[in-house]
Amino acid sequence: MNRQRSFIGFIVAGAIAVLVIAIAGFYWFFAKSPANLIGSRSGPGAAIFVSKLSPAMVSLLTNPDRLQALEREEELSKLKTSLFAKSGIDYKQDIQPWLGDEITLAITTLDIDRDPENGQQPGYLLALATKQPEKSREFVELLFSKRALAGANLAVEQYKGVKLISDNSQPEQDLLAGAVVGEGFVLFANDPKVLRDAINNVQAPDLNLTSSPDYQKATKEQLKGGLAVAFLNLPIVAKWQGLELPEQLYNSQIISLVLNPKGLLAETTFLTSSEIVPPSAPLSKPVGALQYVPASAGLAISGSNLSNLADSDLAKLWKQATATIYGSGEDVISRLAKPLADVQKRWGINLPEDIFSWVQGEYAMALLPEKEQTTPHWIFVVEKSEGVEKGIARLDAIASSNGLSINTLTIDQQKISAWTELTTATKKSDVKEGASFSIETKVQALHTTLGNYEIFTSDLETMDEILTTKNNSIIDNPNFKDSIAAIPLPNQGYIYLDWTKSQNLLERQVPVLKLVEVLGKPFFNNLRSLTVSSYGTDTRSLKGGVFFKLHNS
């Protein structure tokens, strides 16, 4: 039997669904009872059962029944029903009385029997905190007795003082092993060996996750009172997917989720044994370049010093992450910022070499999506510094080599340089002699100087909006203000995404996003924006956060 498939079908998929719905649906219950939704301050207690060689562990650190506001959408009720429907278990009667404030799911090993001949069979462990051990023991007995009545062959053993129950299931059933360990946890696994290993990890502390130096350091970085937390052993995650990473800078990652009066903050820390240097000096306030980004922007990226971005540790993290997720160093940014990729292709330029190399001061980039067109307008704002004029001259030369003309025009008394292309248009003439021709000028891009900044845009309409619209920049947008207020200072700048304006654009560029939206429907239906930033001063870790702002928050 495929043990991996069967266990996922019964327990793991349900556990993941609990975590997804709990996190995605917090919008409703936060408004109802925030005081009751603070997670554990000490982190997952179930870490003592998990090997320090575990690829991943994720924990919900609050009781699912505190998510009662979700009942209005019946999401939680449906989940509870579907999770135990095949077992004849009633959640309210059999589980609710003893379930505590933690649900932890871990991949304990890449291969249970360590036999490569029969393929990888990862070990899965689900740990449920119990507040009434006797009732939880009754539940385990009830669960397996019902499985026996359904045709499973049960096996019972005592292992180091713990009673283990497992079944040798029929092909149509799910393989399962369970135990109540001490006074604190009910454990389920997809193989009795996984349970035995979990018990060994408790009795030999140097084997479990809490003895790992990376985990110890990571837990010091997690947000206190987090609703959920996840820990990833990155080299083993890569090995699990059969990947050989060209460069392995970061060893582990911890992600913690905490409620904020304005939304949800997901903070993550990447840990390394190497000395790392941030791509630029930290900023104590939002960059001034944002004053030229209209409030209508769907995506805005701001910071300082792009000249060393390609060689920064942030770039190395991106390469490692994309290789781990996609199995290669594929440039996923080109999907999300397709307009910039199109500019590179059309003009024959290399962004890092021809533009980023001379951006040593502040910068801001933005996309302005429009419903009527698939390609959004773009803006690029650069602070004047040494090398900017030479950089612009280089772009002029590239434009000329591509057959574009460099012209000067005026908008609202502002002198603007435009890269234009002359095209001919043919019209049928009423005169018998034949067709008539007209010459049209097509603007490919423009730039101008405002204050201490050089501003580039994709079209006249966007440039006109910047020049003629006063006090309507993104820094005056209340939603943007609330979002960046949740990000600690100093930081490396912001990536701000207005979900309501950019959803259609992102779905076109990243089709898999539609599937994610279906899985997290309560969350995405209420998502207003998200803001990403990097911060922290530790030279052996890279810390950042994503702030999710929701409607009416």
Side-chain angles (χ1 to χ4, degrees):
M1 179 186 294
N2 187 327
R3 298 178 178 180
Q4 178 180 351
R5 179 201 60 78
S6 60
F7 185 71
I8 291 177
F10 180 69
I11 290 292
V12 175
I16 293 175
V18 169
L19 297 177
V20 169
I21 291 178
I23 296 168
F26 90 98
Y27 166 75
W28 291 286
F29 62 71
F30 174 74
K32 184 175 181 181
S33 55
N36 294 328
L37 289 164
I38 296 176
S40 169
R41 297 185 180 276
S42 57
I48 60 174
F49 300 108
V50 180
S51 167
K52 60 184 178 183
L53 299 179
S54 164
M57 179 182 75
V58 59
S59 302
L60 176 66
L61 301 177
T62 189
N63 190 299
D65 289 314
R66 295 182 180 176
L67 318 183
Q68 290 303 317
L70 280 176
E71 297 290 354
R72 288 181 294 177
E73 299 294 321
E74 298 183 348
E75 298 285 352
L76 197 57
S77 294
K78 291 178 183 178
L79 175 62
K80 295 170 184 175
T81 300
S82 62
L83 179 58
F84 298 103
K86 294 169 66 176
S87 303
I89 296 297
D90 181 270
Y91 173 84
K92 188 172 183 179
Q93 177 180 329
D94 300 324
I95 300 177
Q96 189 181 57
W98 58 263
L99 185 60
D101 291 337
E102 179 181 338
I103 300 176
T104 289
L105 176 65
I107 303 164
T108 60
T109 179
L110 298 183
D111 193 5
I112 295 174
D113 61 8
R114 297 180 176 85
D115 183 0
E117 297 297 325
N118 59 8
Q120 277 194 345
Q121 296 181 342
Y124 296 94
L125 179 71
L126 179 66
L128 308 174
T130 175
K131 55 189 178 183
Q132 295 189 38
E134 286 305 316
K135 284 190 174 295
S136 56
R137 286 188 178 88
E138 292 174 5
F139 165 74
V140 173
E141 297 283 350
L142 174 65
L143 174 62
F144 281 95
S145 65
K146 288 181 176 291
R147 291 172 70 83
L149 291 174
N153 298 316
L154 300 186
V156 180
E157 65 173 299
Q158 289 288 332
Y159 184 76
K160 297 186 177 181
V162 178
K163 181 180 179 180
L164 308 184
I165 306 178
S166 59
D167 61 42
N168 186 6
S169 299
Q170 301 299 318
E172 68 274 8
Q173 291 184 317
D174 299 302
L175 179 64
L176 188 67
V180 178
V181 181
E183 301 294 310
F185 283 93
V186 177
L187 305 183
F188 292 105
N190 60 329
D191 193 286
K193 187 178 186 304
V194 174
L195 292 185
R196 289 193 289 269
D197 288 343
I199 295 169
N200 291 339
N201 290 334
V202 176
Q203 298 186 357
D206 59 320
L207 298 178
N208 67 47
L209 195 56
T210 61
S211 67
S212 164
D214 280 349
Y215 182 76
Q216 291 172 1
K217 184 175 181 180
T219 53
K220 294 179 181 178
E221 300 289 341
Q222 76 179 70
L223 293 170
K224 302 302 181 183
L227 182 66
V229 63
F231 177 77
L232 303 177
N233 190 325
L234 298 177
I236 300 180
V237 170
K239 182 180 178 181
W240 180 28
Q241 298 183 71
L243 302 176
E244 292 291 337
L245 300 182
E247 187 171 10
Q248 181 75 54
L249 176 63
Y250 296 94
N251 304 319
S252 57
Q253 176 188 9
I254 191 165
I255 306 167
S256 51
L257 305 177
V258 68
L259 298 177
N260 179 289
K262 296 293 185 179
L264 174 70
L265 177 62
E267 185 173 271
T268 184
T269 301
F270 294 88
L271 302 170
T272 176
S273 55
S274 304
E275 193 85 7
I276 62 174
V277 179
S280 61
L283 303 168
S284 58
K285 62 181 180 179
V287 299
L290 286 169
Q291 65 185 297
Y292 299 109
V293 175
S296 58
L299 171 68
I301 304 173
S302 63
S304 67
N305 191 9
L306 288 172
S307 62
N308 68 339
L309 181 62
D311 298 322
S312 69
D313 295 307
L314 194 60
K316 293 177 181 177
L317 169 63
W318 178 259
K319 291 178 182 178
Q320 180 177 328
T322 53
T324 302
I325 295 171
Y326 290 90
S328 70
E330 179 181 2
D331 184 11
V332 184
I333 288 182
S334 64
R335 296 182 179 186
L336 302 178
K338 192 174 183 296
L340 298 181
D342 291 342
V343 169
Q344 286 192 101
K345 183 177 181 180
R346 186 169 64 249
W347 285 24
I349 64 174
N350 181 289
L351 285 178
E353 294 180 7
D354 297 325
I355 297 180
F356 294 171
S357 61
W358 47 264
V359 179
Q360 298 179 1
E362 296 179 357
Y363 69 87
M365 292 179 276
L367 298 180
L368 283 68
E370 288 192 0
K371 294 181 180 179
E372 295 78 13
Q373 61 183 49
T374 57
T375 302
H377 304 310
W378 56 262
I379 299 169
F380 183 41
V381 184
V382 184
E383 183 182 20
K384 288 281 191 177
S385 62
E386 183 180 356
V388 170
E389 289 187 6
K390 289 183 178 179
I392 295 175
R394 184 175 181 178
L395 290 180
D396 286 341
I398 292 174
S400 296
S401 67
N402 281 277
L404 301 179
S405 301
I406 302 172
N407 300 299
T408 301
L409 53 91
T410 301
I411 299 179
D412 196 24
Q413 299 183 343
Q414 177 70 31
K415 185 179 178 181
I416 296 171
S417 295
W419 294 310
T420 61
E421 179 183 13
L422 295 180
T423 61
T424 58
T426 305
K427 296 182 180 180
K428 287 187 177 181
S429 174
D430 293 333
V431 183
K432 293 182 179 181
E433 284 75 11
S436 63
F437 296 88
S438 63
I439 297 177
E440 296 180 351
T441 301
K442 185 176 181 180
V443 175
Q444 297 290 350
L446 310 95
H447 68 93
T448 190
T449 301
L450 285 177
N452 196 37
Y453 297 90
E454 192 72 17
I455 301 172
F456 300 80
T457 67
S458 57
D459 54 272
L460 283 167
E461 292 81 2
T462 304
M463 182 65 79
D464 181 63
E465 183 177 358
I466 294 172
L467 296 175
T468 60
T469 304
K470 307 297 182 183
N471 300 321
N472 193 30
S473 71
I474 196 169
I475 57 177
D476 299 311
N477 184 337
N479 184 50
F480 180 76
K481 287 182 177 180
D482 287 343
S483 297
I484 64 174
I487 303 293
L489 287 170
N491 57 51
Q492 298 293 325
Y494 307 101
I495 299 176
Y496 171 79
L497 176 69
D498 189 310
W499 176 250
T500 56
K501 296 174 182 175
S502 303
Q503 181 178 0
N504 292 335
L505 171 65
L506 291 174
E507 288 174 345
R508 288 195 298 268
Q509 305 299 341
V510 190
V512 73
L513 186 59
K514 291 184 178 181
L515 174 61
V516 177
E517 291 175 43
V518 171
L519 295 175
K521 185 177 179 180
F523 176 72
F524 283 98
N525 283 350
N526 290 278
L527 178 62
R528 183 166 184 173
S529 66
L530 62 89
T531 306
V532 183
S533 185
S534 172
Y535 45 87
T537 57
D538 191 333
T539 58
R540 295 189 182 275
S541 67
L542 181 64
K543 179 180 288 188
V546 183
F547 179 71
F548 300 92
K549 191 175 190 305
L550 304 177
H551 288 288
N552 301 322
S553 64

